[in-house]
DNA sequence: GTGCGAACGATAACCATTATCGCTATCAAT
DNA sequence: ATTGATAGCGATAATGGTTATCGTTCGCAC
């Protein structure tokens, strides 16, 4: 359990107070706007530490990593390719089947990443 | 259908002749070793064109994109976090459930990415 | 043969992330 | 309270995969 410094608390507060999925740069900018003096490297280090300790979760997209508040229940993500919004979903059967598949191949699974790409309900209506 | 130039044929041949998952840099190095004069930008452009035309497939990992020969049947990937090897698997039920989940959320799914991380059978025995 | 558009090769630029380094805050022991 | 060790901080340089730029070349229609 790494040290929960002022800076890391500040990052954590911002993430917990929102439902967004933040990247490091967005977080740094927003914190500075709010009057906190914080370096970008500190944000990266802080996020890594917070994730290690299970205080935040992350989604690794192709281009960047995004962080969200930690929640009890595991879930995966749907990313809208139009507006970039991220929604969460959970499906126990998919989770279970992944383990079955891995086991069949003699693969000791330690994690997974499932992302659905497409057009979210909001964007779909507009088109 | 973009032009299938000599360079792109060369890339395609190399990918088709192997079961590896290549990244752009590996491909360029291997081609040069084999006596082909090809620029790294051409490899990137070629891979993008080949993928657009469905002649190769790709897996987007966190740090880089890897390309494999195109196969008829869609599949997902298991990545060994020790040796970096990539295995393929397919599970129709998982595929179907993804569509169900997306539909429930009013999400018009256009693609997905499922990667299982862990330790492959070979690495698991050694440890 | 000429013209044109697409692709090529070399290289610079981009951008998210990580490493470096000197400084500072924290905290336990004195 | 002072010291000393350690972890973290902030600024910035470096890294590394990918993309953009630009002048040149190739292939094909006319």
């Amino acid at each position: 359990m790494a040290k929960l410094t002022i800076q890391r608390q500040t990052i954590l507060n911002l993430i917990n107070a929102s439902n967004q999925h933040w990247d490091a740069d967005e977080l740094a900018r927003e914190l500075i706007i709010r009057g906190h003096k914080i370096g970008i490297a500190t944000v990266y280090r802080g996020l890594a530490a917070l994730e290690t300790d299970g205080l935040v979760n992350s989604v690794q997209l192709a281009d960047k990593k995004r962080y969200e508040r930690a929640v009890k229940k595991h879930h995966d993500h749907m990313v809208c390719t139009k507006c970039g919004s991220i929604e969460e979903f959970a499906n126990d059967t998919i989770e279970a089947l992944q383990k079955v598949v891995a086991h069949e191949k003699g693969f000791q699974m330690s994690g997974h990443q499932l992302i659905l790409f497409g057009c979210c309900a909001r964007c779909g209506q507009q088109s």
Side-chain angles (χ1 to χ4, degrees), chain A:
Chain A
M1 199 71 164
K3 211 179 292 186
L4 190 57
T5 63
I6 302 290
Q7 289 85 350
R8 291 179 187 174
Q9 285 176 41
T10 311
I11 295 171
L12 188 55
N13 287 342
L14 180 50
I15 293 178
N16 280 339
S18 77
N19 290 323
Q20 293 186 46
H21 291 72
W22 301 84
D23 66 34
D25 197 49
E26 286 169 351
L27 275 166
R29 270 205 310 276
E30 180 62 25
L31 290 174
I32 287 168
I33 287 172
R34 298 191 182 192
H36 299 99
K37 182 177 181 306
I38 192 167
I40 183 67
T42 302
V43 174
Y44 275 101
R45 280 183 298 229
L47 286 169
L50 291 171
E51 184 176 17
T52 301
D53 294 341
L55 299 176
V56 300
N57 291 143
S58 71
V59 212
Q60 174 72 61
L61 301 186
D63 53 341
K64 61 180 59 170
K65 201 168 185 178
R66 292 186 167 275
Y67 292 83
E68 61 187 319
R69 68 194 189 299
V71 284
K72 331 77 220 149
K73 196 176 180 329
H74 168 78
H75 59 257
D76 290 301
H77 297 91
M78 299 189 301
V79 178
C80 178
T81 50
K82 278 198 181 168
C83 68
S85 70
I86 302 179
E87 277 183 78
E88 300 162 7
F89 72 87
N91 184 292
D92 293 339
T93 311
I94 291 180
E95 299 288 321
L97 283 172
Q98 288 175 11
K99 287 183 189 128
V100 170
V101 166
H103 189 260
E104 279 172 1
K105 300 262 188 183
F107 196 84
Q108 198 169 346
M109 194 174 113
S110 59
H112 72 268
Q113 171 122 43
L114 172 57
I115 302 177
L116 310 186
F117 297 101
C119 190
C120 71
R122 228 170 326 146
C123 289
Q125 295 169 343
Q126 303 172 353
S127 59

